[in-house]
Amino acid sequence: MLLEVFLLLGSVIIYFLFYKKKEETLPFKEGWWGKGQKPDAEEDTTIRPFKVEATEEELSDLYRRLDQARFTEPLEDSCFHYGTNSVYLKKVVSYWKNQFNWKKQVEILNKYPQFKTKIQGIDIHFVHVKPPRLPEGQSAKPLLMVHGWPGSFYEFYKIIPLLTDPASHGLSDEHVFEVICPSIPGYGFSEAPHKKDFNSVSAASVFYELMLRLGFNEFYTQGGDWGWLICTNLAQIAPNHVKGLHLNLASVSNMGFTQLLSILLGRYLPGLFGFQDEDVRRMFPFLKKGVYKILMESGYAHIQATKPDTVGCGLNDSPVGLAAYILEKFSTWTDPEFCSLEDGGLERKFNLDDLLTNIMIYWVSGCIVSSMRFYKENLQKGIGTQKHERLTVQVPTGIASFPNEIMHTPQAWAQKKYTNIVSFHFMTRGGHFAALEEPELLAEDILQFVGKVEKEQLWRKKE
């Protein structure tokens, strides 16, 4: 009997020392996403320079399609409540045809060095920007920045100089970054996976391989939208390599009893659930600001998580349809009140050149269908069913919580997933597309987060 007790205790100890510890890390996902069977030959790991090009053929085809666009008259006084208002859309199309200069925007895209390299069978596109100067005795800190949908690597073009040359933009140069902005496979100029099941863990594994290939054994990561999940997964896969994780969107899919109870009582007993006054302001009444808001804004996600190719075929064939689909998101996700404006408030925070450049990246690469498939790959098995959703993130985490984000996640909820939150700030303004809309605010938050991690030595590589 005594021997059996010792064996049982020994088994429990071994489980907690080894098995449980192993479960804290998400397995690296080795895949082959190229066409056909994986070849026997070693993959070519060459990093090749890349430039965006504008051809007369693609411009002629674009203008022909714009000229042949059919518009539906909007309902009176509907503004953006029914989606993109076609009265304003006509103005966008007119600007697109007569004033927007794609060749000039291509020069802007090419002002930062771009590259491609083959990883797991597909070409991965990325922007790689090194600091123009470094303070004496300093080295640049590698920072991987990942976009989402319906954005692109171009979202980061306004924040890149603030991070690679902060002193020239009135920011502290205590920390200077070397920025790597890849296109998610199936987005922009990264090749689309040719096989099913390429999800956020797949993308995280590919980007981990990319960073190692570039010679970065230790690095920071930053993301919002899908970038939030990809960077989160990367921190779960390689906690010994990710020095810090900065997010401008954080979401928790596995809600415990306390979190569910806080939805009912948090408005009246905020302190009991760790809510701050700003949490209460952003979350309640929860039926209106939580449930109803998500229902109003998630129709696209249901389509894309079930039958993305159906609607995608239409968008890939019509530049006006593509613009209408994407512009609606840049309106409502920037500020929900913009739906009450006939122009969707789009030019209050962005300019048409930036908005159309992002749309053109989708159009010329023909990536809208493959970008939408990413929803199906991540959501088709159901929310809360994936291993990464059950695992915590233990690397130092910073969260910039923007007031107009689609769904607010209080720190008390985020802490359940991200167990080492060292920086959580309520941002004074801004919405979903933070890097493009409020680059200075986001850059400042990234800089202070990294400063805290470095100064307090919150990250140390485990042996």
Side-chain angles (χ1 to χ4, degrees), residues 18-47:
F18 298 101
Y19 180 73
K20 192 174 180 182
K21 185 176 181 180
K22 183 180 178 183
E23 283 294 299
E24 293 174 352
T25 301
L26 189 66
F28 175 87
K29 189 172 179 181
E30 180 69 54
W32 170 259
W33 309 105
K35 290 183 178 180
Q37 290 188 334
K38 183 178 180 180
D40 294 331
E42 287 289 318
E43 189 165 68
D44 180 7
T45 59
T46 305
I47 296 172

PDB file of all heavy atoms in Angstrom, residues 18-47:
ATOM      1  N   PHE A  18       6.922  18.202 -15.464  1.00  0.00           N
ATOM      2  CA  PHE A  18       7.276  18.020 -16.873  1.00  0.00           C
ATOM      3  C   PHE A  18       6.083  18.197 -17.814  1.00  0.00           C
ATOM      4  O   PHE A  18       6.090  19.059 -18.680  1.00  0.00           O
ATOM      5  CB  PHE A  18       7.903  16.631 -17.082  1.00  0.00           C
ATOM      6  CG  PHE A  18       9.177  16.468 -16.312  1.00  0.00           C
ATOM      7  CD1 PHE A  18       9.187  15.774 -15.108  1.00  0.00           C
ATOM      8  CD2 PHE A  18      10.366  17.005 -16.784  1.00  0.00           C
ATOM      9  CE1 PHE A  18      10.366  15.616 -14.395  1.00  0.00           C
ATOM     10  CE2 PHE A  18      11.547  16.850 -16.084  1.00  0.00           C
ATOM     11  CZ  PHE A  18      11.545  16.164 -14.878  1.00  0.00           C
ATOM     12  N   TYR A  19       5.050  17.401 -17.623  1.00  0.00           N
ATOM     13  CA  TYR A  19       3.932  17.414 -18.577  1.00  0.00           C
ATOM     14  C   TYR A  19       3.227  18.762 -18.573  1.00  0.00           C
ATOM     15  O   TYR A  19       3.003  19.364 -19.610  1.00  0.00           O
ATOM     16  CB  TYR A  19       2.934  16.303 -18.244  1.00  0.00           C
ATOM     17  CG  TYR A  19       1.769  16.274 -19.196  1.00  0.00           C
ATOM     18  CD1 TYR A  19       1.922  15.808 -20.502  1.00  0.00           C
ATOM     19  CD2 TYR A  19       0.513  16.736 -18.797  1.00  0.00           C
ATOM     20  CE1 TYR A  19       0.857  15.781 -21.391  1.00  0.00           C
ATOM     21  CE2 TYR A  19      -0.555  16.723 -19.681  1.00  0.00           C
ATOM     22  CZ  TYR A  19      -0.376  16.237 -20.975  1.00  0.00           C
ATOM     23  OH  TYR A  19      -1.437  16.234 -21.837  1.00  0.00           O
ATOM     24  N   LYS A  20       2.903  19.269 -17.389  1.00  0.00           N
ATOM     25  CA  LYS A  20       2.184  20.526 -17.317  1.00  0.00           C
ATOM     26  C   LYS A  20       3.011  21.666 -17.883  1.00  0.00           C
ATOM     27  O   LYS A  20       2.516  22.538 -18.573  1.00  0.00           O
ATOM     28  CB  LYS A  20       1.787  20.819 -15.870  1.00  0.00           C
ATOM     29  CG  LYS A  20       0.779  21.966 -15.761  1.00  0.00           C
ATOM     30  CD  LYS A  20       0.288  22.127 -14.340  1.00  0.00           C
ATOM     31  CE  LYS A  20      -0.721  23.270 -14.258  1.00  0.00           C
ATOM     32  NZ  LYS A  20      -1.190  23.478 -12.891  1.00  0.00           N
ATOM     33  N   LYS A  21       4.312  21.639 -17.594  1.00  0.00           N
ATOM     34  CA  LYS A  21       5.195  22.676 -18.115  1.00  0.00           C
ATOM     35  C   LYS A  21       5.223  22.636 -19.635  1.00  0.00           C
ATOM     36  O   LYS A  21       5.207  23.655 -20.308  1.00  0.00           O
ATOM     37  CB  LYS A  21       6.605  22.482 -17.548  1.00  0.00           C
ATOM     38  CG  LYS A  21       7.566  23.594 -17.938  1.00  0.00           C
ATOM     39  CD  LYS A  21       8.900  23.398 -17.263  1.00  0.00           C
ATOM     40  CE  LYS A  21       9.861  24.516 -17.639  1.00  0.00           C
ATOM     41  NZ  LYS A  21      11.171  24.333 -16.998  1.00  0.00           N
ATOM     42  N   LYS A  22       5.218  21.448 -20.190  1.00  0.00           N
ATOM     43  CA  LYS A  22       5.232  21.289 -21.638  1.00  0.00           C
ATOM     44  C   LYS A  22       3.961  21.860 -22.252  1.00  0.00           C
ATOM     45  O   LYS A  22       3.978  22.457 -23.332  1.00  0.00           O
ATOM     46  CB  LYS A  22       5.380  19.802 -21.990  1.00  0.00           C
ATOM     47  CG  LYS A  22       5.473  19.521 -23.490  1.00  0.00           C
ATOM     48  CD  LYS A  22       5.616  18.036 -23.724  1.00  0.00           C
ATOM     49  CE  LYS A  22       5.661  17.733 -25.216  1.00  0.00           C
ATOM     50  NZ  LYS A  22       5.735  16.281 -25.476  1.00  0.00           N
ATOM     51  N   GLU A  23       2.836  21.707 -21.550  1.00  0.00           N
ATOM     52  CA  GLU A  23       1.564  22.174 -22.068  1.00  0.00           C
ATOM     53  C   GLU A  23       1.488  23.692 -22.173  1.00  0.00           C
ATOM     54  O   GLU A  23       0.628  24.231 -22.842  1.00  0.00           O
ATOM     55  CB  GLU A  23       0.428  21.667 -21.172  1.00  0.00           C
ATOM     56  CG  GLU A  23       0.067  20.209 -21.374  1.00  0.00           C
ATOM     57  CD  GLU A  23      -0.526  19.966 -22.738  1.00  0.00           C
ATOM     58  OE1 GLU A  23      -1.561  20.526 -23.047  1.00  0.00           O
ATOM     59  OE2 GLU A  23       0.105  19.207 -23.495  1.00  0.00           O
ATOM     60  N   GLU A  24       2.393  24.419 -21.483  1.00  0.00           N
ATOM     61  CA  GLU A  24       2.360  25.873 -21.486  1.00  0.00           C
ATOM     62  C   GLU A  24       2.847  26.450 -22.806  1.00  0.00           C
ATOM     63  O   GLU A  24       2.667  27.626 -23.069  1.00  0.00           O
ATOM     64  CB  GLU A  24       3.194  26.421 -20.328  1.00  0.00           C
ATOM     65  CG  GLU A  24       2.591  26.104 -18.957  1.00  0.00           C
ATOM     66  CD  GLU A  24       3.492  26.518 -17.816  1.00  0.00           C
ATOM     67  OE1 GLU A  24       4.644  26.904 -18.103  1.00  0.00           O
ATOM     68  OE2 GLU A  24       3.060  26.457 -16.661  1.00  0.00           O
ATOM     69  N   THR A  25       3.492  25.640 -23.615  1.00  0.00           N
ATOM     70  CA  THR A  25       4.005  26.108 -24.891  1.00  0.00           C
ATOM     71  C   THR A  25       3.185  25.537 -26.032  1.00  0.00           C
ATOM     72  O   THR A  25       2.843  24.358 -26.034  1.00  0.00           O
ATOM     73  CB  THR A  25       5.486  25.683 -25.060  1.00  0.00           C
ATOM     74  OG1 THR A  25       6.246  26.235 -23.990  1.00  0.00           O
ATOM     75  CG2 THR A  25       6.050  26.204 -26.363  1.00  0.00           C
ATOM     76  N   LEU A  26       2.870  26.391 -27.005  1.00  0.00           N
ATOM     77  CA  LEU A  26       2.122  25.959 -28.179  1.00  0.00           C
ATOM     78  C   LEU A  26       3.079  25.334 -29.182  1.00  0.00           C
ATOM     79  O   LEU A  26       4.117  25.929 -29.492  1.00  0.00           O
ATOM     80  CB  LEU A  26       1.418  27.170 -28.797  1.00  0.00           C
ATOM     81  CG  LEU A  26       0.417  26.920 -29.923  1.00  0.00           C
ATOM     82  CD1 LEU A  26      -0.784  26.150 -29.407  1.00  0.00           C
ATOM     83  CD2 LEU A  26      -0.024  28.243 -30.532  1.00  0.00           C
ATOM     84  N   PRO A  27       2.778  24.162 -29.700  1.00  0.00           N
ATOM     85  CA  PRO A  27       3.700  23.522 -30.651  1.00  0.00           C
ATOM     86  C   PRO A  27       3.853  24.331 -31.929  1.00  0.00           C
ATOM     87  O   PRO A  27       2.881  24.894 -32.445  1.00  0.00           O
ATOM     88  CB  PRO A  27       3.034  22.166 -30.934  1.00  0.00           C
ATOM     89  CG  PRO A  27       2.089  21.937 -29.804  1.00  0.00           C
ATOM     90  CD  PRO A  27       1.632  23.295 -29.368  1.00  0.00           C
ATOM     91  N   PHE A  28       5.065  24.401 -32.407  1.00  0.00           N
ATOM     92  CA  PHE A  28       5.354  24.999 -33.708  1.00  0.00           C
ATOM     93  C   PHE A  28       4.640  24.182 -34.781  1.00  0.00           C
ATOM     94  O   PHE A  28       4.655  22.961 -34.751  1.00  0.00           O
ATOM     95  CB  PHE A  28       6.867  24.987 -33.942  1.00  0.00           C
ATOM     96  CG  PHE A  28       7.301  25.469 -35.296  1.00  0.00           C
ATOM     97  CD1 PHE A  28       7.511  26.817 -35.534  1.00  0.00           C
ATOM     98  CD2 PHE A  28       7.511  24.572 -36.342  1.00  0.00           C
ATOM     99  CE1 PHE A  28       7.924  27.269 -36.778  1.00  0.00           C
ATOM    100  CE2 PHE A  28       7.920  25.010 -37.587  1.00  0.00           C
ATOM    101  CZ  PHE A  28       8.129  26.361 -37.802  1.00  0.00           C
ATOM    102  N   LYS A  29       3.985  24.852 -35.728  1.00  0.00           N
ATOM    103  CA  LYS A  29       3.220  24.147 -36.752  1.00  0.00           C
ATOM    104  C   LYS A  29       4.026  24.067 -38.043  1.00  0.00           C
ATOM    105  O   LYS A  29       4.155  25.053 -38.767  1.00  0.00           O
ATOM    106  CB  LYS A  29       1.876  24.844 -36.999  1.00  0.00           C
ATOM    107  CG  LYS A  29       0.928  24.041 -37.893  1.00  0.00           C
ATOM    108  CD  LYS A  29      -0.456  24.687 -37.937  1.00  0.00           C
ATOM    109  CE  LYS A  29      -1.403  23.914 -38.840  1.00  0.00           C
ATOM    110  NZ  LYS A  29      -2.743  24.554 -38.895  1.00  0.00           N
ATOM    111  N   GLU A  30       4.574  22.926 -38.301  1.00  0.00           N
ATOM    112  CA  GLU A  30       5.337  22.683 -39.532  1.00  0.00           C
ATOM    113  C   GLU A  30       4.367  22.266 -40.625  1.00  0.00           C
ATOM    114  O   GLU A  30       3.657  21.284 -40.498  1.00  0.00           O
ATOM    115  CB  GLU A  30       6.371  21.582 -39.301  1.00  0.00           C
ATOM    116  CG  GLU A  30       7.218  21.265 -40.511  1.00  0.00           C
ATOM    117  CD  GLU A  30       8.173  22.390 -40.880  1.00  0.00           C
ATOM    118  OE1 GLU A  30       8.936  22.826 -39.996  1.00  0.00           O
ATOM    119  OE2 GLU A  30       8.122  22.857 -42.034  1.00  0.00           O
ATOM    120  N   GLY A  31       4.318  23.053 -41.686  1.00  0.00           N
ATOM    121  CA  GLY A  31       3.377  22.734 -42.751  1.00  0.00           C
ATOM    122  C   GLY A  31       3.996  22.852 -44.126  1.00  0.00           C
ATOM    123  O   GLY A  31       5.142  23.290 -44.282  1.00  0.00           O
ATOM    124  N   TRP A  32       3.262  22.439 -45.118  1.00  0.00           N
ATOM    125  CA  TRP A  32       3.644  22.634 -46.515  1.00  0.00           C
ATOM    126  C   TRP A  32       2.419  23.206 -47.221  1.00  0.00           C
ATOM    127  O   TRP A  32       1.405  22.536 -47.391  1.00  0.00           O
ATOM    128  CB  TRP A  32       4.084  21.319 -47.167  1.00  0.00           C
ATOM    129  CG  TRP A  32       4.251  21.471 -48.655  1.00  0.00           C
ATOM    130  CD1 TRP A  32       3.368  21.077 -49.630  1.00  0.00           C
ATOM    131  CD2 TRP A  32       5.336  22.099 -49.332  1.00  0.00           C
ATOM    132  NE1 TRP A  32       3.844  21.419 -50.876  1.00  0.00           N
ATOM    133  CE2 TRP A  32       5.054  22.056 -50.725  1.00  0.00           C
ATOM    134  CE3 TRP A  32       6.518  22.705 -48.917  1.00  0.00           C
ATOM    135  CZ2 TRP A  32       5.912  22.574 -51.683  1.00  0.00           C
ATOM    136  CZ3 TRP A  32       7.377  23.228 -49.869  1.00  0.00           C
ATOM    137  CH2 TRP A  32       7.080  23.153 -51.226  1.00  0.00           C
ATOM    138  N   TRP A  33       2.524  24.488 -47.617  1.00  0.00           N
ATOM    139  CA  TRP A  33       1.374  25.203 -48.146  1.00  0.00           C
ATOM    140  C   TRP A  33       1.503  25.491 -49.635  1.00  0.00           C
ATOM    141  O   TRP A  33       0.664  26.180 -50.218  1.00  0.00           O
ATOM    142  CB  TRP A  33       1.187  26.504 -47.355  1.00  0.00           C
ATOM    143  CG  TRP A  33       1.165  26.248 -45.885  1.00  0.00           C
ATOM    144  CD1 TRP A  33       2.161  26.511 -44.995  1.00  0.00           C
ATOM    145  CD2 TRP A  33       0.124  25.619 -45.143  1.00  0.00           C
ATOM    146  NE1 TRP A  33       1.806  26.109 -43.734  1.00  0.00           N
ATOM    147  CE2 TRP A  33       0.561  25.551 -43.792  1.00  0.00           C
ATOM    148  CE3 TRP A  33      -1.135  25.102 -45.475  1.00  0.00           C
ATOM    149  CZ2 TRP A  33      -0.225  24.996 -42.785  1.00  0.00           C
ATOM    150  CZ3 TRP A  33      -1.911  24.546 -44.467  1.00  0.00           C
ATOM    151  CH2 TRP A  33      -1.463  24.499 -43.140  1.00  0.00           C
ATOM    152  N   GLY A  34       2.557  24.953 -50.262  1.00  0.00           N
ATOM    153  CA  GLY A  34       2.741  25.139 -51.693  1.00  0.00           C
ATOM    154  C   GLY A  34       1.842  24.224 -52.500  1.00  0.00           C
ATOM    155  O   GLY A  34       1.094  23.402 -51.961  1.00  0.00           O
ATOM    156  N   LYS A  35       1.925  24.352 -53.806  1.00  0.00           N
ATOM    157  CA  LYS A  35       1.115  23.513 -54.694  1.00  0.00           C
ATOM    158  C   LYS A  35       1.631  22.075 -54.701  1.00  0.00           C
ATOM    159  O   LYS A  35       2.843  21.848 -54.643  1.00  0.00           O
ATOM    160  CB  LYS A  35       1.142  24.068 -56.113  1.00  0.00           C
ATOM    161  CG  LYS A  35       0.377  25.378 -56.298  1.00  0.00           C
ATOM    162  CD  LYS A  35       0.386  25.817 -57.747  1.00  0.00           C
ATOM    163  CE  LYS A  35      -0.421  27.093 -57.945  1.00  0.00           C
ATOM    164  NZ  LYS A  35      -0.418  27.541 -59.358  1.00  0.00           N
ATOM    165  N   GLY A  36       0.725  21.139 -54.788  1.00  0.00           N
ATOM    166  CA  GLY A  36       1.114  19.738 -54.919  1.00  0.00           C
ATOM    167  C   GLY A  36       1.812  19.182 -53.694  1.00  0.00           C
ATOM    168  O   GLY A  36       1.696  19.714 -52.590  1.00  0.00           O
ATOM    169  N   GLN A  37       2.564  18.117 -53.930  1.00  0.00           N
ATOM    170  CA  GLN A  37       3.275  17.472 -52.828  1.00  0.00           C
ATOM    171  C   GLN A  37       4.573  18.207 -52.515  1.00  0.00           C
ATOM    172  O   GLN A  37       5.176  18.839 -53.379  1.00  0.00           O
ATOM    173  CB  GLN A  37       3.585  16.019 -53.201  1.00  0.00           C
ATOM    174  CG  GLN A  37       2.354  15.128 -53.246  1.00  0.00           C
ATOM    175  CD  GLN A  37       2.723  13.668 -53.418  1.00  0.00           C
ATOM    176  OE1 GLN A  37       3.777  13.345 -53.959  1.00  0.00           O
ATOM    177  NE2 GLN A  37       1.858  12.776 -52.970  1.00  0.00           N
ATOM    178  N   LYS A  38       4.990  18.098 -51.266  1.00  0.00           N
ATOM    179  CA  LYS A  38       6.235  18.730 -50.851  1.00  0.00           C
ATOM    180  C   LYS A  38       7.405  18.042 -51.547  1.00  0.00           C
ATOM    181  O   LYS A  38       7.536  16.814 -51.496  1.00  0.00           O
ATOM    182  CB  LYS A  38       6.397  18.614 -49.335  1.00  0.00           C
ATOM    183  CG  LYS A  38       7.643  19.307 -48.801  1.00  0.00           C
ATOM    184  CD  LYS A  38       7.721  19.196 -47.287  1.00  0.00           C
ATOM    185  CE  LYS A  38       8.970  19.895 -46.762  1.00  0.00           C
ATOM    186  NZ  LYS A  38       9.067  19.803 -45.281  1.00  0.00           N
ATOM    187  N   PRO A  39       8.271  18.805 -52.223  1.00  0.00           N
ATOM    188  CA  PRO A  39       9.401  18.186 -52.924  1.00  0.00           C
ATOM    189  C   PRO A  39      10.448  17.649 -51.942  1.00  0.00           C
ATOM    190  O   PRO A  39      10.513  18.077 -50.789  1.00  0.00           O
ATOM    191  CB  PRO A  39       9.967  19.345 -53.759  1.00  0.00           C
ATOM    192  CG  PRO A  39       9.542  20.580 -53.040  1.00  0.00           C
ATOM    193  CD  PRO A  39       8.218  20.264 -52.407  1.00  0.00           C
ATOM    194  N   ASP A  40      11.242  16.732 -52.397  1.00  0.00           N
ATOM    195  CA  ASP A  40      12.287  16.144 -51.556  1.00  0.00           C
ATOM    196  C   ASP A  40      13.447  17.114 -51.322  1.00  0.00           C
ATOM    197  O   ASP A  40      14.134  17.045 -50.307  1.00  0.00           O
ATOM    198  CB  ASP A  40      12.824  14.854 -52.205  1.00  0.00           C
ATOM    199  CG  ASP A  40      11.753  13.765 -52.255  1.00  0.00           C
ATOM    200  OD1 ASP A  40      10.874  13.769 -51.362  1.00  0.00           O
ATOM    201  OD2 ASP A  40      11.795  12.938 -53.170  1.00  0.00           O
ATOM    202  N   ALA A  41      13.659  18.008 -52.285  1.00  0.00           N
ATOM    203  CA  ALA A  41      14.785  18.948 -52.188  1.00  0.00           C
ATOM    204  C   ALA A  41      14.576  19.939 -51.049  1.00  0.00           C
ATOM    205  O   ALA A  41      13.445  20.264 -50.671  1.00  0.00           O
ATOM    206  CB  ALA A  41      14.937  19.696 -53.511  1.00  0.00           C
ATOM    207  N   GLU A  42      15.692  20.409 -50.496  1.00  0.00           N
ATOM    208  CA  GLU A  42      15.650  21.409 -49.438  1.00  0.00           C
ATOM    209  C   GLU A  42      15.039  22.701 -49.976  1.00  0.00           C
ATOM    210  O   GLU A  42      15.262  23.085 -51.121  1.00  0.00           O
ATOM    211  CB  GLU A  42      17.062  21.687 -48.908  1.00  0.00           C
ATOM    212  CG  GLU A  42      17.651  20.570 -48.057  1.00  0.00           C
ATOM    213  CD  GLU A  42      16.971  20.463 -46.705  1.00  0.00           C
ATOM    214  OE1 GLU A  42      16.696  21.513 -46.091  1.00  0.00           O
ATOM    215  OE2 GLU A  42      16.699  19.325 -46.270  1.00  0.00           O
ATOM    216  N   GLU A  43      14.294  23.390 -49.145  1.00  0.00           N
ATOM    217  CA  GLU A  43      13.660  24.641 -49.566  1.00  0.00           C
ATOM    218  C   GLU A  43      14.703  25.737 -49.754  1.00  0.00           C
ATOM    219  O   GLU A  43      15.658  25.847 -48.985  1.00  0.00           O
ATOM    220  CB  GLU A  43      12.636  25.078 -48.512  1.00  0.00           C
ATOM    221  CG  GLU A  43      11.762  26.233 -48.939  1.00  0.00           C
ATOM    222  CD  GLU A  43      10.545  26.403 -48.044  1.00  0.00           C
ATOM    223  OE1 GLU A  43      10.723  26.773 -46.867  1.00  0.00           O
ATOM    224  OE2 GLU A  43       9.428  26.133 -48.520  1.00  0.00           O
ATOM    225  N   ASP A  44      14.517  26.522 -50.790  1.00  0.00           N
ATOM    226  CA  ASP A  44      15.401  27.656 -51.055  1.00  0.00           C
ATOM    227  C   ASP A  44      15.110  28.751 -50.032  1.00  0.00           C
ATOM    228  O   ASP A  44      14.011  29.318 -50.001  1.00  0.00           O
ATOM    229  CB  ASP A  44      15.154  28.180 -52.479  1.00  0.00           C
ATOM    230  CG  ASP A  44      16.049  29.363 -52.835  1.00  0.00           C
ATOM    231  OD1 ASP A  44      16.944  29.694 -52.035  1.00  0.00           O
ATOM    232  OD2 ASP A  44      15.837  29.958 -53.914  1.00  0.00           O
ATOM    233  N   THR A  45      16.090  29.056 -49.197  1.00  0.00           N
ATOM    234  CA  THR A  45      15.885  30.038 -48.122  1.00  0.00           C
ATOM    235  C   THR A  45      16.409  31.427 -48.495  1.00  0.00           C
ATOM    236  O   THR A  45      16.536  32.296 -47.634  1.00  0.00           O
ATOM    237  CB  THR A  45      16.582  29.564 -46.833  1.00  0.00           C
ATOM    238  OG1 THR A  45      17.983  29.386 -47.086  1.00  0.00           O
ATOM    239  CG2 THR A  45      15.989  28.252 -46.348  1.00  0.00           C
ATOM    240  N   THR A  46      16.681  31.640 -49.758  1.00  0.00           N
ATOM    241  CA  THR A  46      17.190  32.928 -50.212  1.00  0.00           C
ATOM    242  C   THR A  46      16.191  34.045 -49.916  1.00  0.00           C
ATOM    243  O   THR A  46      14.980  33.889 -50.075  1.00  0.00           O
ATOM    244  CB  THR A  46      17.448  32.901 -51.737  1.00  0.00           C
ATOM    245  OG1 THR A  46      18.317  31.815 -52.033  1.00  0.00           O
ATOM    246  CG2 THR A  46      18.065  34.202 -52.209  1.00  0.00           C
ATOM    247  N   ILE A  47      16.713  35.191 -49.478  1.00  0.00           N
ATOM    248  CA  ILE A  47      15.892  36.383 -49.275  1.00  0.00           C
ATOM    249  C   ILE A  47      16.107  37.292 -50.474  1.00  0.00           C
ATOM    250  O   ILE A  47      17.224  37.747 -50.739  1.00  0.00           O
ATOM    251  CB  ILE A  47      16.266  37.101 -47.963  1.00  0.00           C
ATOM    252  CG1 ILE A  47      15.945  36.187 -46.770  1.00  0.00           C
ATOM    253  CG2 ILE A  47      15.529  38.428 -47.844  1.00  0.00           C
ATOM    254  CD1 ILE A  47      16.442  36.696 -45.441  1.00  0.00           C
TER     255      ILE A  47
END
